[in-house]
Amino acid sequence: MDVTQTKQEHLLALKVMRLTKPTLFTNLPVTCEDRDLPGDSFGQLMRDDPSTIKGAEILMLGEMLTLPQNFGNIFLGETFSSYISVHNDSNQVVKDILVKADLQTSSQRLNLSASNSAVGELKPECCIDDVIHHEVKEIGTHILVCAVSYTTQYGEKLYFRKFFKFQVLKPLDVKTKFYNAETDEVFLEAQIQNITTSPMFMEKVSLEPSMMYNVTELNTVAYGDDGESTFGKMSYLQPMDTRQYLYCLKPKPEYAEKAGVIKGVTVIGKLDIVWKTNLGERGRLQTSQLQRMAPGYGDIRLSLEMIPDTVNLEEPFDIICKITNCSERTMDLVLEMCNTRSIHWCGVSGRQLGKLSPGAFLSLPLTLLSSVQGLQSISGLRLTDTFLKRTYEYDDIAQVCVVCPYTSNEC
């Protein structure tokens, strides 16, 4: 949209053109069989067409490029480039020419002019050229305001402006999901959908973690020393297609040891997405800081630091439990071990664990055995805080596979 505030004839003419990559020229091939009435007429016309590829005239893509025929679409994360030209259409010498370009968004006004100094004079049929660039970081309505001021040879100061209005569209739809593991690990699934009308080459999709976490990307498959992307060698995202990216975040040791730190809403990090479209035109999008609600563990958290994957039937095996005081008070703990139908604890129940300060943890080795084969759930632990006479019971702490070490006849 072009709105001009010119109520009088000016000596200077302002022209603004958006700079974009060209597109490949396409044609519509028309073919027929040799026995048809036209014979080889259509084939000869396509061979004589300079836009077709020699030897492959029936392909729609040609060897030529096409300049943009309209303003086109501008997407968030792309770089908006524009060519500004001020031409002296008169037969007079114009002095003190100042060209200013501002971009007005819904929240701010940005100065895009490369130079704010005036040009001394501009002779007839001469011009002043400038190219501006701006990385688009907001969606919605944008207005490019180009203002020109100058002085005639008679000392009269004149001024005019032009407005160019355009819309910035959203290129990607990004959705995130968090999954909490039994340990302190957090899995992030990022769903990215191409909502434009042209394919994209996904150059990079990475997660920049916050200072509390280390991140591991789970989007490659290891083959020897090299890793191959799970999406293949050609990472193209077609219009309206969706792709899932997976990341594993683990708290840094200095934060994982402090139970009170990772509580409530925590900042995970932000996604950095880089893509290329028509003839390598690049776009980049960074999300805001991703947040998740850390799971609540109550006053005491009991987790397993070590457990074997497979154990033998009716043979004792060892595990290591980690008991963390998540409250803001000191606790005096007593451990009770209650047998279940399949799990039998070894040792003395009612064991005094002593005092545990806020945020502190205790590693506790325990021994148990299973009397039933198959996948068994470890249950039956009970902690009692003698200060408040409060009891915490823990069932389904983890699962272990129990196998029979003998032949099927002996079990």
Side-chain angles (χ1 to χ4, degrees):
M1 179 178 179
D2 180 3
V3 181
T4 309
Q5 290 186 343
T6 55
K7 296 182 180 180
Q8 66 181 65
E9 195 70 24
H10 282 277
L11 305 179
L12 302 181
L14 173 65
K15 295 182 179 180
V16 178
M17 181 178 68
R18 183 191 174 195
L19 299 179
T20 58
K21 297 281 187 179
T23 57
L24 292 173
F25 179 79
T26 58
N27 50 48
L28 185 61
V30 179
T31 61
C32 65
E33 296 183 359
D34 294 339
R35 62 184 180 182
D36 292 337
L37 183 61
D40 191 42
S41 300
F42 293 152
Q44 186 61 43
L45 289 174
M46 288 189 294
R47 287 191 292 270
D48 295 339
D49 190 343
S51 65
T52 59
I53 301 175
K54 304 306 177 185
E57 291 82 5
I58 61 174
L59 293 179
M60 293 186 63
L61 292 179
E63 295 182 326
M64 295 185 177
L65 298 177
T66 304
L67 294 177
Q69 303 300 308
N70 50 44
F71 191 82
N73 294 325
I74 299 179
F75 293 100
L76 182 69
E78 294 182 344
T79 299
F80 169 70
S81 301
S82 183
Y83 167 73
I84 300 176
S85 178
V86 177
H87 186 267
N88 188 354
D89 291 343
S90 69
N91 55 4
Q92 303 178 21
V93 177
V94 179
K95 298 180 180 180
D96 300 330
I97 306 97
L98 179 62
V99 182
K100 187 178 180 182
D102 293 339
L103 185 63
Q104 177 70 54
T105 69
S106 59
S107 62
Q108 58 183 335
R109 188 184 182 101
L110 304 170
N111 181 18
L112 305 183
S113 300
S115 175
N116 293 322
S117 59
V119 178
E121 64 176 23
L122 186 64
K123 297 180 180 180
E125 301 302 324
C126 294
C127 61
I128 300 173
D129 299 324
D130 190 14
V131 176
I132 58 175
H133 303 280
H134 174 67
E135 184 179 348
V136 182
K137 298 181 180 179
E138 297 181 41
I139 60 175
T141 303
H142 287 57
I143 302 176
L144 179 63
V145 183
C146 298
V148 180
S149 62
Y150 61 97
T151 305
T152 66
Q153 62 181 3
Y154 304 108
E156 183 183 5
K157 294 184 178 180
L158 298 178
Y159 172 84
F160 68 93
R161 291 188 301 174
K162 281 190 175 182
F163 300 84
F164 301 89
K165 185 177 180 180
F166 58 91
Q167 296 288 332
V168 175
L169 306 177
K170 187 179 177 182
L172 300 171
D173 186 25
V174 181
K175 297 179 181 178
T176 57
K177 294 181 181 178
F178 291 104
Y179 303 93
N180 297 313
E182 293 182 356
T183 60
D184 290 327
E185 293 179 339
V186 180
F187 291 91
L188 169 65
E189 177 191 353
Q191 298 181 359
I192 300 177
Q193 183 182 23
N194 177 9
I195 56 177
T196 68
T197 57
S198 59
M200 289 181 176
F201 173 75
M202 306 304 292
E203 184 175 299
K204 183 181 75 169
V205 179
S206 62
L207 176 64
E208 298 179 1
S210 64
M211 59 181 296
M212 297 176 59
Y213 292 92
N214 293 319
V215 63
T216 302
E217 294 193 11
L218 304 178
N219 304 309
T220 56
V221 179
Y223 290 102
D225 297 333
D226 300 328
E228 182 178 338
S229 172
T230 55
F231 310 110
K233 296 181 179 179
M234 306 302 290
S235 186
Y236 284 100
L237 191 59
Q238 298 295 333
M240 304 311 296
D241 279 1
T242 302
R243 183 173 289 175
Q244 287 84 18
Y245 294 85
L246 187 62
Y247 304 90
C248 177
L249 297 109
K250 189 173 183 180
K252 294 181 180 179
E254 57 268 29
Y255 295 100
E257 294 176 358
K258 300 177 182 179
V261 173
I262 309 178
K263 277 188 175 182
V265 178
T266 57
V267 175
I268 295 295
K270 57 184 179 181
L271 288 170
D272 187 13
I273 308 170
V274 181
W275 69 90
K276 289 182 179 179
T277 54
N278 182 34
L279 291 182
E281 197 159 2
R282 191 170 181 172
R284 182 182 181 183
L285 184 64
Q286 283 190 329
T287 65
S288 57
Q289 291 287 350
L290 304 176
Q291 296 181 337
R292 71 155 187 138
M293 178 64 71
Y297 298 109
D299 292 340
I300 304 178
R301 180 187 179 189
L302 190 147
S303 58
L304 290 183
E305 290 186 326
M306 190 277 292
I307 181 173
D309 295 330
T310 305
V311 299
N312 291 331
L313 180 68
E314 297 181 348
E315 289 186 9
F317 62 93
D318 297 325
I319 63 174
I320 298 179
C321 294
K322 181 179 180 180
I323 302 173
T324 306
N325 184 356
C326 299
S327 69
E328 298 179 355
R329 56 183 173 81
T330 302
M331 295 184 175
D332 186 21
L333 299 177
V334 175
L335 174 66
E336 297 180 73
M337 300 179 293
C338 305
N339 295 332
T340 63
R341 184 182 67 86
S342 58
I343 296 296
H344 304 273
W345 296 93
C346 304
V348 179
S349 182
R351 175 179 170 185
Q352 292 280 347
L353 300 182
K355 296 181 180 179
L356 196 61
S357 303
F361 67 91
L362 173 67
S363 294
L364 184 65
L366 296 174
T367 304
L368 63 158
L369 60 87
S370 176
S371 58
V372 180
Q373 294 185 71
L375 192 63
Q376 303 300 324
S377 177
I378 297 178
S379 304
L381 290 182
R382 182 185 303 164
L383 290 171
T384 302
D385 180 12
T386 59
F387 286 157
L388 296 181
K389 306 299 183 181
R390 186 175 296 174
T391 301
Y392 307 88
E393 296 185 359
Y394 298 92
D395 293 321
D396 297 327
I397 303 170
Q399 291 183 325
V400 64
C401 182
V402 182
V403 298
C404 180
Y406 313 107
T407 63
S408 57
N409 293 331
E410 293 176 308
C411 282

